[in-house]
Amino acid sequence: MSFIYVLGAIIALSFLIFIHELGHYWMARRTGMRVETFSIGMGRAIVSWMYQGVKWQIGWLPFGGFVKIAGMDGEKDQDPYTVKEGFFGKSPWDRIKVAIAGPFVNILFALLAFALLWAVGGRLKSFSEFTIKTGWIDPVSELYQQGVRPGDEVLAYDGKPYQGINDLVYLGLTQSGPVELIGAKVDEIT
């Protein structure tokens, strides 16, 4: 089972690297820089192909990745600032945009992913948010003395329908007098 977790972590990390490098790639192309290589993974390429003048490749080591832009390697006997459509041939502002695009895409992806998870109810919820049943009751409390036991259901309080544990928390903070609880006794067979 741990192999599946390791494989899942590698795939997730590779995806995050991919979108990070895609941010650099997209901004470099948008600012007129010539991208020579887009690589996910490091080391010798397992597979590579050409698409729109860019060598796309997947390296054998699944960690890391890079976008090689013309003029970044510093070819022999050539000033990197003279490379046509090269990284250093563009304005400092364009180079900053390319450098920031990768982390920006990661942050944007994280915000969108967590917003989506939150919207579909993917946040951790405690059991008390799902039930109207009481949990632990302090044996010296007034409720216990009145016969309320763990597992009993709370249906309403002071004439208002009970929706969850937060109702009782707010009630305890705002109410100073006695509260009328309406519930149902649940006799568990043990």
Side-chain angles (χ1 to χ4, degrees), residues 82-177:
T82 62
V83 175
K84 185 178 180 187
E85 299 175 337
F87 182 76
F88 293 104
K90 297 297 178 179
S91 71
W93 179 242
D94 285 342
R95 294 189 306 235
I96 289 170
K97 288 192 292 188
V98 170
I100 290 175
F104 177 76
V105 168
N106 282 121
I107 291 169
L108 183 64
F109 173 75
L111 290 173
L112 291 174
F114 284 116
L116 179 66
L117 287 173
W118 184 268
V120 298
R123 64 186 172 86
L124 181 63
K125 296 180 181 179
S126 67
F127 179 71
S128 62
E129 290 184 78
F130 292 104
T131 185
I132 59 173
K133 293 185 182 284
T134 57
W136 180 79
I137 303 287
D138 187 356
V140 296
S141 70
E142 185 177 331
L143 287 175
Y144 192 87
Q145 301 304 320
Q146 293 177 4
V148 177
R149 297 293 181 263
D152 290 350
E153 295 176 346
V154 178
L155 302 174
Y157 63 95
D158 282 345
K160 300 175 192 166
Y162 178 76
Q163 307 215 352
I165 191 68
N166 288 339
D167 290 346
L168 295 180
V169 172
Y170 296 134
L171 189 64
L173 295 172
T174 59
Q175 193 85 1
S176 60

Side-chain angles (χ1 to χ4, degrees), residues 3-19:
F3 174 75
I4 292 173
Y5 292 136
V6 170
L7 183 63
I10 289 172
I11 291 170
L13 182 62
S14 296
F15 176 73
L16 292 176
I17 292 168
F18 172 74
I19 63 170

Side-chain angles (χ1 to χ4, degrees), residues 62-75:
F63 306 107
F66 63 90
V67 172
K68 181 181 174 195
I69 301 171
M72 289 185 83
D73 279 348
E75 289 84 15

